[in-house]
Amino acid sequence: MCVGVPAKVIEKQEFSALVDVMGSRTTVGIIFVPEVEVGEYVIVHAGQAMSIIDEEYAKESVEEWRKLTDARTS
Amino acid sequence: MCVGVPAKVIEKQEFSALVDVMGSRTTVGIIFVPEVEVGEYVIVHAGQAMSIIDEEYAKESVEEWRKLTDARTS
Amino acid sequence: MEKRISLAHGDGGELSHRLIKSVFVEAFGHNNEAMFDASALTIPVRDIAVTTDSFVIKPVFFPGGSIGKLAVAGTVNDLAVSGAKPLYLTCGFVIEEGFEISDLRAIVSDMAKEAKKTGVTIIAGDTKVVERGSADGVYINTTGIGIYENGRKPSLQFTEGDAVIISGTIGDHGIAVLAERGELGISVPIDSDCASLNTMLLKVCEEIDDVRIMRDPTRGGLATTLVEIAEDFSLTIVLNESSIPVREEVHGMCELIGFDPLYIANEGKAILIVPNEHKDKVMEILLQFPEGKDAAVIGEVTGTEKGQLLLETPLGSKRLLTRLAGMMLPRIC
Amino acid sequence: MEKRISLAHGDGGELSHRLIKSVFVEAFGHNNEAMFDASALTIPVRDIAVTTDSFVIKPVFFPGGSIGKLAVAGTVNDLAVSGAKPLYLTCGFVIEEGFEISDLRAIVSDMAKEAKKTGVTIIAGDTKVVERGSADGVYINTTGIGIYENGRKPSLQFTEGDAVIISGTIGDHGIAVLAERGELGISVPIDSDCASLNTMLLKVCEEIDDVRIMRDPTRGGLATTLVEIAEDFSLTIVLNESSIPVREEVHGMCELIGFDPLYIANEGKAILIVPNEHKDKVMEILLQFPEGKDAAVIGEVTGTEKGQLLLETPLGSKRLLTRLAGMMLPRIC
Amino acid sequence: MQELLKQSSNPEILKPLLQAVKEKAAEFISLYGRKPAFMEVCGSHTMALAKSGVKQALREDVSLISGPGCPVCVTDQHSIDSMIALAEGDGRIICTFGDMMKVPGSRQSLMDAKINGKDIRVVYSPVDSIRIAEENPGKEVIFLGIGFETTIPILAILVEEAYKKGLGNFSIWMTTKLVEPILRHLLNCGDVMLDGFLLPGHVSIVLGEEAYSFLPEEYNIGGVISGFEPAELLSGIYKLLDIAITKDTRIINDHPSVVTKSGNVVAKQLMEKYFSLCDEAWRGIGSIPSSGLSIRREFDQFDAKKKFKVDPGEPKKTKCRCGEVIRGLINPTDCVLFGKACNPMKPVGPCMVSAEGSCAAYYQYMRECN
Amino acid sequence: MQELLKQSSNPEILKPLLQAVKEKAAEFISLYGRKPAFMEVCGSHTMALAKSGVKQALREDVSLISGPGCPVCVTDQHSIDSMIALAEGDGRIICTFGDMMKVPGSRQSLMDAKINGKDIRVVYSPVDSIRIAEENPGKEVIFLGIGFETTIPILAILVEEAYKKGLGNFSIWMTTKLVEPILRHLLNCGDVMLDGFLLPGHVSIVLGEEAYSFLPEEYNIGGVISGFEPAELLSGIYKLLDIAITKDTRIINDHPSVVTKSGNVVAKQLMEKYFSLCDEAWRGIGSIPSSGLSIRREFDQFDAKKKFKVDPGEPKKTKCRCGEVIRGLINPTDCVLFGKACNPMKPVGPCMVSAEGSCAAYYQYMRECN
Ligand code: SF4
Ligand code: SF4
Ligand SMILES: [Mg+2]
Ligand SMILES: [Mg+2]
Ligand SMILES: [Mg+2]
Ligand SMILES: [Mg+2]
Ligand SMILES: [Mg+2]
Ligand SMILES: [Mg+2]
Ligand SMILES: [Mg+2]
Ligand SMILES: [Mg+2]
Ligand SMILES: [Mg+2]
Ligand SMILES: [Mg+2]
C-alpha cells in the first residue's frame, strides 16, 4: 500500500525535519510526529514522517527472530 | 529607407492580393492601392503594396537610358 | 507499437530495445542490434578521412528532402569535398518526447535510401530521448569515415589564374527551408538542393590531376566559405557577380526580405578551385551530372599573398566580401 | 567575447568562426579550424572499432563530472569494452541559444582533459545552435574510433561456469545525477562514477587470455545490460543479490523513491564475463585500479541454451530479471 | 539502530527463519490436510514477498493470496478515465504520484497524455504540488489523490496548506480507499477461504492495532500486523500459522516498533477534519458504501470533483480480471492476458502497472525460471 | 514588364550610362573647379549605391554624401534604450522588424535580450503582430514602430486593425521620423554644402513629387526622385548633374512609374487619421519640433508610450559619431572607431547595424580592396 522507509532525524524544525536514509538526506514533514527528537528514527512515506521507530520494540523483534533461529542453527 | 520590391499581382481579394516576385509568392495588403488589377505590378514594402507600377513610364525610363547609352556604344 | 516517442524510448530498457529493433535495425539492415551500438570493421586502406556534423533543421521535412537525407548527404559531402571516398557512417539521434514514430520511420528510411545511393554503410547508432520542449523534433549527428585511394586528395596548392567553379545555383536549400517554415508567409516553388555529391566530385578528382580544393558552401553560404578558403590559404579571389548562378525565385525571396543569396546555405553544391587550364574539362564533367547541370565558372584566384574575397559588380567595381556577420533577419530597410 | 550563445554562433558566419577558434580550437589544441571540421589521418592498423553516442544529461554539471567528461568517457568506454584501444574522437555540439559561454568553456575543457588522460585525440567537431527552448543547455555527440592490436578482442564464446564480474558499485551515476537535479529534494553525498575505463580494461585483456565479453552498464543499468547479453548469446546468467556492490547512499535514495539499483545507470563501470579459472586474476587486476576498487564477482553463467537472467535472493529463491520496462518514476506504493 | 534494522534482511537470520516457517506450515498441513491460506492485504506486502523470494520459497508450504491493498489496482476504470480526461483540459497542471502514470485508461494513460503535450508532473512529496500551484497562478493545479489510510492524512495536509494559503488554483481529485470496508466486503461475500490476514504495517501506523479487532470479534478470523523486510514477513507468517494452528483467533501486532494500539492521533484527526466518508467504486467489485473519503463540504473549493466537470464516457471493456485478482479469487496467471497481451510494457489492467500490483509482482518476480 | 524591370541592371546599359555620368561630372568639374556634392537622403540609396558599385565607380567624379534616411540610424540612444527596457518587462512579446535587433543600446541590444530569454519576435509584415496578439491574450504584444513615411502608413493600418478588433493587449511604441523636417533642419544648419538631393523613391510613393517643392522654392536647391536599381541611380545622378550645371533648380521625378505628383492619398489619409505631429529626438542632432508622428489621443490605448512606463536611465556615452555621419558632416571612415572597435559583428552605433546605415555600407561594400 505504501512505501515506507526508516530514516534518522538529523535536524528538527517546527513542522519539518532533515532526515538521513543511509546517507541520502531529505526534508520530511513531522506534522504526525511533532514529538520526534534528533537522533530518533522515523518511518517516511511520501515526504512525511508517519511514525517514530521504538528502538526497544525493534530490539525485541530481532531477539525473537534470533530465538527461532538459534533453535535451528545450533 | 525602405526595401521595396516589384511584384506581379496574381489574385486579388478585397483587402489583399497574392503577388509573385520572380516565382516567390506572398500575400500583401492592397489598402493603399485598392484599384490594382490582376496582372499589374506593385511595389511591396513590409507586406503592403504601396504603389502600382506604371508600365508606360517604366518603358520611357528604359528608353531614356537607351538614348544616353546609344550615344556612347554606337 | 506506440505512435509517439516517449522518454522511455530513450532509457535503455525494453522500449529502447524495441524502437531500435523495429525502426533502425530494420531500415539500416543489420541483423542484430548489438551491431547497432558499436562496430568492428576492417578497412581497405590506412589513409582515412573523418568528419562529423549535427543536423538541426526545422522543419524536418522540406521540399527536396528531410533531415534524414540531409544528415547522410551532408556528411558524405564533407568527405567527398576532401577527396575521400565515403564508406561508413554513424548516426546519433536526439529525439523530442512526443515525436511521431511514423515521422521517425520516414526519416530513417530517407537515411537508408541516401546511404544506399551513395554506397555508405551505417555502422553504429545511438538514440536519446529528451523531454518535450527540450528539442525541436529530432536532431541527428552523423559521423563519416572515408578512405583515400589513388592519391585523390586535393593539393591545396594554388596559383594565380586558378578558376573558381560552383557546381550549381546558390541559396536553394536555405530559401526552400525558410519558405517551408511558413513564418514569413512567402512560398517559393523550389526544392532544397540537398544531394550527395560524392560520385560527381570523385569523378572530377579522378579525371583532373591537380584539383586545388573542393568545399561545400553550407551554413554561411558561398561567400563565407570562400572567405574561409581565401584566408586559410592567403588567396585573393575575385568573383564575377553576374556569373554566379542564382534561381529567379531565390532572388525574388531575397529581395522581399532583404537577404543576400551569397550568404544562404546550400546542401548540394560544391566549390571547386582548379587550374585554369582544366576549367573547361571540369565544367564538362560537372555538366554531365544532374547535380552539376547549372555549374558555372564564377571567378578566379588573382593573388596568393593576401587572404581576401572580392566581388566584381556588373559596373566593374570591386567590393570586399566578408563572412556572414551575425544572423540574417528579414528587414524593411 | 559575448557571454551567451546566440543563434548567430551557429550560422557558420563570423561568430561561429570566433566561437570555434576561441573555445574549441584552443581547448583541443588544433592550430587551424579547418582541421576542426574534417580530418585526414593515417591509422596504424586496419582493424578498427567505431562507436557513437549522444549525451543529453541534465544537469550538465554534476558531482563527479560534466557532460564534457561524460561524452569522452562514455565513448572511450564503448570502445574499451569492445577490446579496442581508443584513438580518435569526433564531437558534435548542439547548443541552446542563451547557454553561458563560460559553461561551454568548462565543458570543453573537461573534454580536453579527459581526452588527454585517456590518450585520445579529438579530430573533428561541429557546433549547431538551436533556439531557446529547443534544447536543454547542450547536447554532445561523440563518435570514437579505436584499433584492435594484439588480438585483444573478447571472444564472445561462453561456457558454463564463466564468472560475471562488475567493476564496482552500481547506480552511482544515475543516483548522483537524479539527486543533483534537485527535483526530489533529496541530497545524496556521492559522486557519479563517470570515468574512462580503457586503461583498466585493456590491461585485463592483455593479461587474461579469453575474456568472454565486456560491457558498460549505462542506461538501463546492470540488469538491462545483462539481459541483453543473456539474450544475445543464449546464456542463463545467475546473479547473487547479496554480492552486488551498492553504496548505502544509493540504496537509501532508491528505498525512498522506490527505485531499483539494478536498473540505474552507471558511467564508469564494466561488466566482465571471464572464464571461471581466471576470475581471481581478473579481480586482482581490477582491484589495482581506483576505478576497480569495489569490483566483485556477482554471478555466473549456468547455461548456454536459454537467454535469461536470474537473481538469487538471500533466501535462496531465484527470480527472473527483465529489461527495464518503461521509465522508473518515484512512487509511493 | 541501523544495525538492528539491517538484521531484518540478514541471511543468517533469514534462512533458519524460513526453516521455522516451513516447519510450522508442515504442522498445519499435517493437522488439516491442506495448505494454510493467508491473504496479504497490502500490495507492498505482495511486492516484498515476491521480491525477497519469500513467496517463492514458501510455494509448497503456504498459500499466500494477494489482497486488495494496492491503491492503483483497486481504482476502477471510470475513475482512471476521469483522471485522464481531467488531464486533457487546457491550462491545467496535473500532479501525481509516479504510480498513476502508466495506468491504462480506456483510451490512453496519463503518460500518453504527457507525451501528447499535457502538463503532468510526477511528485515524490504531495506538498510539492502546493509549491507548483503558487508558482503557476495562471494555471489550475490538480493533485490526483489516491491511497489508503497511510497516504490520506498527507492529502489532508494538502487541503490544510491550500486553505491556509488561500490558494484559488489548487484542488485534489480524491479517489481514496479505506481498509476496513474492503475487508468486511471480502469476508461478507465469503468467496475466499482464509486462515488469516497478513495486515499492512504502514497503514496500521495510522489506524493502530485496535482497528482490526472486528476481524476476530465479528468474523472469527485472525491477523498479524507485519513489516516489509524479509525477516518481518517470515515472522508474520510464522505467527499467522501459530494462530491458525492454535485457533487462538486474535490480532497480533508483530510490528510494534512503529505500530501502536490506537495509531497516529494527529493523522486521524486531520483526516476527520477535512474528509468525510463517501461511497467508492472498487475495480471489479463495484461501489462499496462508505469505503472512501472525500473532501468535506466546507472545503469544496479544493475538491476537483466539484470544480471540474469531466465526462470520460463509458469505460472500454477489456478481458482484464484485476477485479478478481484483488479479491484473491484468482491468481494473475489465471488471466488469459497475463504475460501475453498484458505485460509491464503494455499493461491491460492496473494490477500490471503498479509495482505492488499482483500481476506486476507475478510478472517481475514470480515467473517460472524456465 | 519583367523584361523592362531587368533592364535597370543590364550591364549593357549600365556601362555606357556610367560613362555618361562621368562625362557630365567632368563637365561640372571643368565648370566649377570642384567635384559636385549630392546627398542621397535615403539609406536604401546609400546601400544600393555601394552594393552595385556605383559609389565606388564614381569616387573620382561625384561626392555622394549619405544622408539621414536610415530609420535605425537616426533613432537616438535614449529611444533605443527605452525599447530595450520595454522588452525586459515580463509577460510581453515584442514584435519588431529585423532591422532593430542588433542595434546596441547602452547596456544591451534586443538580440541580447532575446538571448537572455525575452520573447522578441522578428516579423516581416507588421500585421503579423496583430495575429500574435490575438493568439496570446495573456500577454502584452508591443510593436516597435520605426520608419519614415513609407512605413508609417502601415503602422496606421495596425492601429486601425487593433481598433476594429478591440484588442486590449496590443500597442505600438512609436518612434517614427519625417523627411521634410530633417531636410529643413540640415539646410537651416547650413553645415553641409550640397549641389542637390538624390530623393527617396519609396518614401516619395507616399509623399508625392510635390512634397519636395520647398527645396527649390525655399532653399534654392534641386533634387531628383530616384529608384534603387543601378541604372536608376545613374540616371538620377545624371539628372542631378544636369540641374547643377544648368542651374535650373527644380525637382525632377525620375521614378515616375511609381511616384505620382501628389503621392498615395489613402496612405496619407490613414496617417492623418491615426497620428499627429510630435517632436522627435534625432541621433546626434537632438529634438526637432514636429519631426515625427505619434498616435492620436483618441487611440491612446494602442500607444505603448502611454501604456508602459520605462525608465532606461541616462544613455551611455560612446565615441560614436553617427550623428555627424547622418548629417553628412563626416564620412564613416572619419570615425576613429570605424572598422576597429565598431564593425558589423560588434556595432557601436546604429549606422553600423542597419544594412542601409552609412557605416555598415562603407564597411560592407566600400572598404579598400587591399
Ligand atoms: S494480467 Fe493484466 S489483464 Fe490480466 S488481470 Fe492482471 S492486469 Fe488485468
Ligand atoms: S563607425 Fe560605428 S561608432 Fe563610428 S560613427 Fe559609425 S556606427 Fe558610430
Ligand atoms: Mg563536418
Ligand atoms: Mg557539413
Ligand atoms: Mg563542409
Ligand atoms: Mg548508445
Ligand atoms: Mg518543440
Ligand atoms: Mg555507443
Ligand atoms: Mg555508450
Ligand atoms: Mg555501452
Ligand atoms: Mg560542421
Ligand atoms: Mg531549456
Side-chain angles (χ1 to χ4, degrees), chain C residues 244-276:
Chain C
I244 299 171
V246 182
R247 276 186 209 287
E248 293 249 298
E249 298 88 340
V250 169
H251 191 61
M253 171 101 165
C254 283
E255 287 281 299
L256 268 169
I257 58 174
F259 278 24
D260 187 340
L262 289 172
Y263 292 94
I264 310 268
N266 310 280
E267 287 294 350
K269 296 290 148 46
I271 296 166
L272 299 93
I273 303 187
V274 299
N276 198 291

Side-chain angles (χ1 to χ4, degrees), chain F residues 266-340:
Chain F
V266 182
K268 287 203 277 191
Q269 279 171 350
L270 272 172
M271 280 203 279
E272 176 65 25
K273 180 169 177 191
Y274 294 105
F275 303 132
S276 58
L277 286 172
C278 67
D279 301 348
E280 269 292 334
W282 294 66
R283 186 177 182 97
I285 296 176
S287 180
I288 302 180
S290 296
S291 66
L293 291 176
S294 63
I295 295 175
R296 283 190 186 277
R297 285 258 174 80
E298 304 94 282
F299 304 100
D300 258 9
Q301 75 254 47
F302 305 114
D303 188 342
K305 286 190 172 170
K306 302 258 167 67
K307 205 166 175 180
F308 305 101
K309 283 243 168 318
V310 297
D311 177 20
E314 270 304 293
K316 199 181 75 183
K317 291 221 162 47
T318 67
K319 290 204 178 120
C320 173
R321 298 179 70 185
C322 269
E324 288 156 278
V325 169
I326 60 179
R327 278 183 290 162
L329 299 181
I330 64 166
N331 258 326
T333 46
D334 295 329
C335 170
V336 291
L337 304 180
F338 179 84
K340 291 162 202 132

Side-chain angles (χ1 to χ4, degrees), chain C residues 2 4-8 14-15 18 97-99 131-132, chain E residues 102 111-118 343-346 363:
Chain C
E2 301 69 25
R4 289 173 181 272
I5 291 289
S6 68
L7 289 175
E14 180 70 27
L15 270 183
R18 288 197 205 164
E97 179 188 27
F99 195 70
E131 275 180 70
R132 184 178 283 272
Chain E
K102 297 177 209 159
M111 181 62 91
D112 296 328
K114 177 173 182 291
I115 292 168
N116 289 326
K118 295 301 162 187
N343 60 63
M345 284 310 304
K346 214 159 176 47
Y363 188 91

Side-chain angles (χ1 to χ4, degrees), chain E residues 27-45:
Chain E
E27 199 183 326
F28 181 99
I29 293 169
S30 74
L31 260 175
Y32 297 100
R34 63 169 176 87
K35 276 202 291 185
F38 305 124
M39 175 179 275
E40 79 268 6
V41 173
C42 176
S44 296
H45 271 158

Side-chain angles (χ1 to χ4, degrees), chain D residues 246-312:
Chain D
V246 183
R247 278 187 209 288
E248 293 249 299
E249 298 88 339
V250 170
H251 192 61
M253 171 99 165
C254 283
E255 289 280 299
L256 268 168
I257 57 175
F259 277 23
D260 187 339
L262 289 172
Y263 292 93
I264 310 267
N266 310 279
E267 287 294 349
K269 296 292 148 48
I271 296 165
L272 301 93
I273 303 187
V274 299
N276 198 291
E277 63 271 28
H278 294 328
K279 70 170 184 251
D280 296 332
K281 176 77 182 149
V282 172
M283 282 296 295
E284 198 179 289
I285 298 169
L286 295 177
L287 293 170
Q288 284 164 17
F289 288 84
E291 297 84 12
K293 71 175 172 17
D294 298 315
V297 178
I298 57 171
E300 69 174 56
V301 174
T302 63
T304 53
E305 294 193 340
K306 283 171 188 154
Q308 60 181 9
L309 177 67
L310 304 175
L311 184 76
E312 188 172 334

Side-chain angles (χ1 to χ4, degrees), chain D residues 4-7 14-15 18 97-98 132, chain F residues 111-112 114-118 343 345-346:
Chain D
R4 291 174 181 273
I5 292 289
S6 68
L7 289 175
E14 180 70 28
L15 271 183
R18 289 198 205 163
E97 180 188 26
R132 184 177 284 271
Chain F
M111 182 64 90
D112 297 327
K114 178 174 182 289
I115 292 168
N116 289 326
K118 295 300 162 187
N343 60 62
M345 284 310 304
K346 215 162 175 44

